[in-house]
Amino acid sequence: MADLEAFRAETRAWLEANCPAEMRDPMRGEKDLCWGGRRFEFQSPAQKRWLDVMASRGWTVPDWPKEYGGGGLSPAEAKILKEEMAELGCRSPLTSFGISMLGPALLKFGTEEQKKHYLTEIARGEIRWCQGYSEPGAGSDLAGLQTKAEDKGDHYLVNGQKVWTSYADEADWIFCLVRTSSESKHGGISFLLFDMESPGVSTKPILLISGNSPFCETFFDDVNVPKDQLVGEINKGWDVAKYLLGHEREMISGMGLGLGIGTGASGVTLGPVVKPEDPLTRAEIATFDVDALAFAAMSERFIDQLKAGEAHPALPSMMKYAGTELNKRRNELVMAAGGSNALEWDSERSKNGKAARDWLRSRGNSIEGGTSEIQLGIVAKHILRLPGA
Ligand SMILES: Cc1cc2nc3c(=O)[nH]c(=O)nc-3n(C[C@H](O)[C@H](O)[C@H](O)COP(=O)(O)OP(=O)(O)OC[C@H]3O[C@@H](n4cnc5c(N)ncnc54)[C@H](O)[C@@H]3O)c2cc1C
């Protein structure tokens, strides 16, 4: 206990000395996120300095082992770091699908060489990753995927199409599900990593209702992938895919706390919204605040269980469902409280229509990472053990 208190004091002192003042200002939106990668353009020298100092201490991934670029912190220490960063208002130094999705899967399924190579790059923010799971005919029914990887001796030859690939046009590498056997639906899938600059890879952005194009159609036309870029065993990629999805759902559930991509107001409460006069809306906001606090408490317990390896495998589905539905409600309330002003789209006053764009973006929260209906199905089957689910 005394050790943890000493760790807290040291951590606070270090953060105060090393976090640039600009990186303690509240984020204004998605453009303030640091994604890293070969082509990332830093918003400011302070953003780059913050990434560099945190990465050199291993604190972009505080609880990963030191040999893979992490901080080697215990779960209790990592929690203290998070609390102190929140207390001082420090921004996250790096947002990355490598950290929240691929990294945990590599830690469990990767070879030693893969861990040393890819995890270290992820920790330093050198490579930006995208996720090649969904296909035009395989979303909820993900195991129906058809992108094919043929064994060509020393490499795989990949052909097919993915869809809804978030940031595929900005990513450096992709983690991708491919079909390597047609004999079994789930047992014929493999998990590959490859460079998006490989000959034969192309992307086409999809324009969304919010006016942004955060995701793409992604095409593979005779792409050569070296065999050492297979993660786990051939035809056993479904195990890797499911494990990764658990971590993706954990990450997405953070939206319930007002964190992450596509969230509306920051913080557990409605944040900067002026509370309206209308008593019904005020009552809805009060109910929302109570639910948000309950979710925050549940989330803390969930993360502790997860870090201790004690979480039920279906718990990420429950949290993903609760967190994303809450975030959708938050955005609905922001719009209701803002009245017609909240519908402004292009003005300076509305920060380029932030409320309306966030609201529209939040509609996708209960689809990405597996829809709410699918999460409810998993909860019904694996937690509630309902008949027929
Ligand atoms: C913002 C956003 C980002 C995304 N990013 C990525 C990404 O980076 N990489 C990636 O691979 N994919 C990504 N996706 C895709 C996402 O994973 C799929 O959209 C999702 O899994 C649903 O698949 P689908 O769109 O094919 O819908 P479908 O599977 O066709 O579902 C259509 C509707 O039917 C319902 N439904 C389907 N099956 C059942 C069932 N068994 N029981 C009850 N209801 C059912 C669904 O709930 C849904 O309402 C993203 C999606 C969004 C919205």
Side-chain angles (χ1 to χ4, degrees), residues 131 133-134 139-140 164-166 215 361 364 367-368 371 373-374:
Q131 177 188 35
Y133 273 33
S134 309
S140 300
W164 316 125
T165 326
S166 298
F215 47 35
R361 172 61 181 83
I367 302 174
E368 58 200 307
T371 66
E373 289 79 13
I374 294 297

Side-chain angles (χ1 to χ4, degrees), residues 122-143:
I122 291 171
R124 292 198 295 246
E126 290 170 351
I127 294 292
R128 183 168 180 178
W129 289 86
C130 63
Q131 177 188 35
Y133 273 33
S134 309
E135 297 184 3
S140 300
D141 182 22
L142 183 59

Side-chain angles (χ1 to χ4, degrees), residues 346-360:
D346 276 330
S347 64
E348 205 172 303
R349 181 174 80 146
S350 68
K351 298 197 179 106
N352 196 30
K354 185 171 183 325
R357 287 176 204 270
D358 281 349
W359 167 59
L360 289 169

Side-chain angles (χ1 to χ4, degrees), residues 274-290:
V274 179
K275 305 249 164 154
E277 291 299 315
D278 170 36
L280 287 179
T281 311
R282 290 174 73 90
E284 271 183 60
I285 292 174
T287 311
F288 172 85
D289 278 348
V290 172

